[in-house]
Structure formats: C-alpha cells, structure tokens
Amino acid sequence: MNGEPLLRLSGVSKAFGAVKANDAVDFTLESAQIHALVGENGAGKTTLMRILYGVHQPDSGTIEIAGCQTHLPSPAAAIENGIGMVHQHFMLVPSFTVAENVTLGAESGKPGLYSAARAAKRTLDLAARLGLAVDPEAITGTLTVATQQKVEILKVLHRGARILILDEPTAVLTPQETHELFTLLRNLAAEGTGIIFISHKLPEVFAIADRITVLRQGRTITTGGRGEISTEAVVAAMTGRSDVHLGRVKRSGRSDAPAVLEVKELSTDRTVSDSPLDQVSLTVYAGEILGVAGVEGNGQTALAEALVGLTAARSGVILLGGEPVTDDNVRRRRDRGLGFVPEDRHLQGLPLHGSVTEATVAGRLRGTGRFATLAPALSRGRRVWAEAVMDKYAVTAADSSARCDSLSGGNQQKIVLARELEDNPACLVLAQPTRGVDIGAIEFLYGKVAEATHRGCGVLLVSADLDEIFRLSDRIVVLFKGRVVAELPTLTTTREEIGRHMMGVTA
Ligand SMILES: Nc1ncnc2c1ncn2[C@@H]1O[C@H](COP(=O)(O)OP(=O)(O)OP(=O)(O)O)[C@@H](O)[C@H]1O
Ligand SMILES: [Mg+2]
C-alpha cells in the first residue's frame, strides 16, 4: 500500500432536521486494527457507520479508502469498496442453509447455475481458515443468535470485506460467545482486516480494541491507543462527567418484607426459542431485586413471558401479592400491579412507527387513569406527560412527536423503562433492561430501579449480563435447561461460581 490508512473519514457531518447526528467527525482506521467507537446513546455512532456503509449520504465531509477519495451512494457501492457491516438485526434468510446465506448475491458463474456443493465448499473453506465450526447445510433460522452472527460475518467476508463494521455485536451474546467472537476478530485483524467495533461495555472495549475513539453529541472528542487512554478518561470523554458510578447500586433493604411474587413448581410447554420451564419455584419480596442468571435459551425468556401472561403455564402456580394469577391474561396481571420490560424492545416494547408520546402513554389510557379527567385536553395532556418523562429520563429526540424508530437504540430502551417505572408497579419483571444503553444512562436507570424498590416494588431481573446481575441483585437464581439449579446471596458469591452453575456444572 501507499502508506495511507485503510480508511479516513474527514469532517463528516449529517443532520436529521434539527439534530446534528454527526458534526465534522474525523476517524481513521488502519489495516489490521481493531478500532472501538464509543459514546453515549445518540452520540452518532450508528449514523457514522451508516454513512460509511452507503445507507446515508453525508451533508459534508470526505471518505478516503486507502488514500482514494470515494463516493458511497449505496450499500452495494460500499460492498464493492470492501466495506462490510454486520447488522444487529441480522439480514439473513432464516429458511436458507448457512451456505446459501453466505454465498447469496455473490455467486460466481451464470445465473441459474447456482451450485449448492460449491457454495458449501466455499463456506467450509472460509470457516476453516478462520477457525469457525459451522455446518454449511444447517438451516440458518434454527441456529443460535451467536452462530447466526458468525454466518453474517462469513457472508460479509465472502464478499471480500477488508473493512468490517460491527455495531454492538456483543449486546446479544453471552460472555462465552463474546470471547469466541473476540478470537475471531483477532484472527481477522491478524490477516489485515480493519475492524470498527461499537460497544457500550467498556471492559470489552479495553479487552479487544487497539485504538479507541469517543464521540459525543456528534463530535470526535478524543482518540488514542489502548495503552494511552484510561477507562476513566474514556468515561469522562463520553459523558462529560468524572463521577460516573460503575459499581454496586446502593439500596436500603428490609428483612421482613412480604412476598410480591411467588412462583410454585411452574412448568411450560416448549417455545420456539427457549427451553420450557421445568418445576420452577422462586419468590420475590417487596423491595428486593432477585437476579435470574443463565446462558440464554435456558428458560429465562419463558419465565418472563409466563409471569406476564404471554406464555401459558402447563402446571404450577403464580401468585401476585398473594393472589393466584396463573390463568389471568396480561391486562389483568398488569392491573394487579405487574410491570414488564420485555427483552426485545423492537418486537414487544415499542410501537416503532408510533411517536414517543404514543409509546410513553401506551397502556395508560384505560380505566380511571391519569388522563380520564383530561378528556378534552387529552392529546395535550399526553404530550405534556410524555415530554415530562423525556425530560426526567433524559431521552434525546427532537421532540415527543419523533417516531420511535428514529431514536437511537438506548433512547428506545429508556422509554420502555420509563413507561413501566412511572406506573409504580408492585412487581416489575425486567428483562435485559440495559442492552445497548450507555453507562451514564445505566447509572440513571439503576437509580430509578433502586427508587422503585425503596417504594416497595419487588424486581425480577433477567439479564445475560453478569455485571448487571451483580450490581443490582440481592439474591441470584441460576436457570439451566429450564430448572433453577442454584439460589445464592449476591454478596457472598462470585462470578465464577455463578458461571459454573450457568454451564450446568454441579460439582
Ligand atoms: N433516520 C433518522 N431520522 C431522524 N433522526 C435520526 C435518524 N437516525 C438517527 N437519528 C438521530 O441522530 C442521533 C444519533 O443517532 P445514532 O443512532 O447515530 O446514535 P448512536 O450513537 O448509534 O446511539 P446508540 O448508542 O443509542 O445506538 C440521535 O439523536 C437520533 O435520534
Ligand atoms: Mg447505535
């Protein structure tokens, strides 16, 4: 090469209406480098990557690839220039085999002459080169999220990517899967690929990145090699604050509190994506946070869904505040004071085509709620309410009429949490509450959860993130193959111990 970096973005700006998503951003990627891009929710990371992938056109600024100024009018043009993006919501065809997905759109030979055998061989060769174990004949939709992600990476590499963009790839992975992904990324970098890695988890960033660049409010705040820049400096650059608390959340507990949620020998039928529950028993007391740990797919989703009434119980009992609700529908359970933050905000949490106002007031308009007396001024009342919530939870969006799908990932999550917490639930089922949420917002949201427990709310926290479990929970139960295999007090247990139970190791 000519001594030029693999990629150089200079002065890139992009506005959406009044929002300056990128404001004269500079960013340089070398070949064989893993470069982390970090910043708060709404800082402009995804926007910058979408510009690089040809999805958005910058208002100004330049893109140079290996020293040549390049115009990227479409993803097809980006792919042609060796840029590949692994999307968080994968772009794979679930009914296709792995080999078909990997080679789709890049088949050699004449149209109509697609060779399954050749596709399988190419997929196997590529996987073997990278040390990946994937079955080219497997039907993609039946694979775990982590394996599908690998298929997506293979697909991008098969198209010849030299620059690989990963936007929050670990948000949906377990610690073990994250470890495997990192091995793959290091192998790719060793072959010369330049990798842009976006994550809100700073321990990960410091484990994998050669270089770190921080964006804040659309601007490049700082950039440095991993050895030159400390975690504290990155946190300060991201948030503009030096006092962000990253440790255990302080709460005052009571020892004689009544049970708000009791689950007795609960079993469910098999669902598509998760293990069925097998005789699960647990209790959540008022003011307590019970963490549910486990490798994804071991019944956590089934548990959350059975508790809120989205999955039927085959046997067993659920009691809310001492009253059986096992056969009640979702709405009756909500009326009894059950709040729910679902793990997938795109599928269940938010009306993506609706406005922030609609998302914030959803479920609040029945009965004699806050708005019944406001009928004539209903829409204004809703807007005022939504704007107060946006303010309180520091949601960044143009205003309350912004569409939910125009919000950054973390801001979407804040809205779901705000809506549930502002309902003052007696019991809150919190599934993966801070996936994709930045560290400042996590601190804030944890504070809100702590406040809820001070009011007496009991929380069942389902999280794949052990840091989250350890920062918040009073007790931890571990699910393995749909069963509770351990129940331990947080303060006297270790990550290693929980990790062993998660893997089903009993001795
Ligand atoms: N298509 C769009 N229309 C309107 N506004 C948008 C659009 N895409 C992004 N924005 C706004 O641009 C800003 C930057 O968003 P972006 O998604 O790039 O943030 P991010 O750094 O990726 O955040 P997160 O960590 O939450 O994913 C936000 O204020 C967002 O609401
Ligand atoms: Mg983003």
Side-chain angles (χ1 to χ4, degrees):
M1 270 213 245
N2 47 9
E4 290 291 339
L6 184 57
L7 170 75
R8 180 183 283 136
L9 303 174
S10 311
V12 170
S13 295
K14 175 77 185 173
F16 297 104
V19 178
K20 275 190 177 175
N22 288 160
D23 188 359
V25 174
D26 296 327
F27 180 87
T28 304
L29 176 73
E30 303 290 343
S31 63
Q33 181 182 67
I34 302 178
H35 194 146
L37 184 60
V38 299
E40 295 191 313
N41 297 129
K45 305 176 296 293
T46 298
T47 302
L48 190 67
M49 294 303 106
R50 285 190 181 146
I51 288 171
L52 180 56
Y53 195 56
V55 178
H56 293 318
Q57 296 310 302
D59 299 333
S60 56
T62 58
I63 301 173
E64 286 167 54
I65 296 173
C68 298
Q69 195 165 325
T70 311
H71 179 54
L72 299 168
S74 64
I79 291 166
E80 209 160 287
N81 279 281
I83 298 164
M85 181 148 172
V86 175
H87 297 268
Q88 199 165 0
H89 289 98
F90 305 135
M91 304 288 179
L92 301 170
V93 185
S95 59
F96 277 19
T97 66
V98 167
E100 284 166 343
N101 266 310
V102 169
T103 56
L104 185 74
E107 304 89 348
S108 57
K110 298 192 183 88
L113 286 182
Y114 180 79
S115 157
R118 201 165 52 218
K121 176 153 191 331
R122 280 213 303 268
T123 304
L124 267 182
D125 289 349
L126 185 59
R129 204 184 83 210
L130 299 168
L132 284 183
V134 293
D135 171 9
E137 311 297 337
I139 301 298
T140 309
T142 65
L143 303 171
T144 62
V145 169
T147 310
Q148 291 195 34
Q149 186 179 68
K150 286 176 186 153
V151 174
E152 180 103 1
I153 293 173
L154 284 176
K155 172 179 164 178
V156 165
L157 296 173
H158 181 258
R159 293 165 164 188
R162 300 273 300 144
I163 296 172
L164 182 62
I165 305 166
L166 297 129
D167 194 349
E168 296 189 44
T170 62
V172 291
L173 301 184
T174 62
Q176 174 61 25
E177 291 164 345
T178 298
H179 186 74
E180 286 173 26
L181 174 70
F182 284 2
T183 305
L184 171 61
L185 297 186
R186 286 196 191 95
N187 290 345
L188 285 173
E191 288 186 355
T193 306
I195 298 171
I196 305 174
F197 173 82
I198 298 177
S199 174
H200 288 290
K201 301 181 191 170
L202 292 186
E204 280 182 357
V205 165
F206 278 89
I208 189 76
D210 303 308
R211 193 172 183 84
I212 299 165
T213 290
V214 182
L215 291 188
R216 186 158 114 234
Q217 293 173 350
R219 282 187 291 267
T220 316
I221 299 297
T222 185
T223 182
R226 176 177 39 180
E228 303 159 13
I229 186 168
S230 67
T231 303
E232 293 70 32
V234 169
V235 171
M238 282 170 67
T239 60
R241 294 167 43 198
S242 56
D243 60 346
V244 180
H245 176 62
L246 302 173
R248 196 168 153 75
V249 178
K250 282 210 181 62
R251 297 188 303 113
S252 55
R254 294 205 325 238
S255 55
D256 57 340
V260 292
L261 172 71
E262 290 161 89
V263 177
K264 295 178 182 166
E265 301 188 342
L266 181 67
S267 297
T268 60
D269 291 322
R270 173 163 283 287
T271 62
V272 199
S273 56
D274 202 1
S275 292
L277 298 182
D278 181 4
Q279 306 262 328
V280 165
S281 297
L282 51 85
T283 305
V284 180
Y285 297 95
E288 178 196 45
I289 301 179
L290 178 67
V292 178
V295 175
E296 238 157 316
N298 279 280
Q300 301 90 315
T301 307
L303 175 63
E305 290 185 354
L307 292 179
V308 293
L310 293 168
T311 293
R314 183 152 51 78
S315 60
V317 186
I318 303 168
L319 303 169
L320 274 177
E323 299 288 327
V325 296
T326 324
D327 301 317
D328 286 355
N329 61 24
V330 177
R331 178 172 165 181
R332 292 247 291 280
R333 295 185 200 199
R334 287 186 82 93
D335 288 344
R336 283 186 184 279
L338 185 69
F340 180 40
V341 173
E343 62 179 48
D344 190 331
R345 56 186 168 258
H346 285 148
L347 289 177
Q348 298 174 342
L350 275 182
L352 281 178
H353 299 292
S355 68
V356 173
T357 301
E358 283 159 348
T360 330
V361 299
R364 267 168 191 280
L365 297 175
R366 56 177 191 263
T368 53
R370 188 183 303 259
F371 302 108
T373 51
L374 283 174
L378 189 61
S379 97
R380 204 184 75 88
R382 287 163 54 176
R383 204 187 65 233
V384 168
W385 162 254
E387 283 174 2
V389 168
M390 284 174 69
D391 199 38
K392 187 165 166 190
Y393 287 78
V395 172
T396 342
D399 58 44
S400 62
S401 67
R403 266 172 56 141
C404 290
D405 60 1
S406 79
L407 262 56
S408 78
N411 279 308
Q412 293 175 353
Q413 183 71 3
K414 284 188 204 171
I415 288 173
V416 179
L417 245 147
R419 181 183 69 212
E420 298 301 313
L421 284 173
E422 291 299 304
D423 235 3
N424 288 340
C427 177
L428 182 62
V429 175
L430 267 182
Q432 320 294 354
T434 58
R435 233 175 219 177
V437 174
D438 71 53
I439 49 173
I442 287 177
E443 184 191 31
F444 175 81
L445 291 173
Y446 285 177
K448 288 288 166 198
V449 173
E451 267 175 34
T453 63
H454 295 154
R455 287 197 302 267
C457 176
V459 177
L460 185 91
L461 168 72
V462 177
S463 180
D465 180 350
L466 272 187
D467 279 332
E468 177 154 276
I469 298 254
F470 273 87
R471 285 181 71 184
L472 278 174
S473 320
D474 301 299
R475 286 183 299 133
I476 304 174
V477 296
V478 183
L479 281 183
F480 182 69
K481 292 190 176 164
R483 276 175 293 133
V484 173
V485 293
E487 182 176 330
L488 298 156
T490 309
L491 287 180
T492 52
T493 190
T494 62
R495 278 169 176 65
E496 290 67 34
E497 188 172 5
I498 297 294
R500 278 198 298 278
H501 288 297
M502 286 168 64
M503 305 312 282
V505 179
T506 46

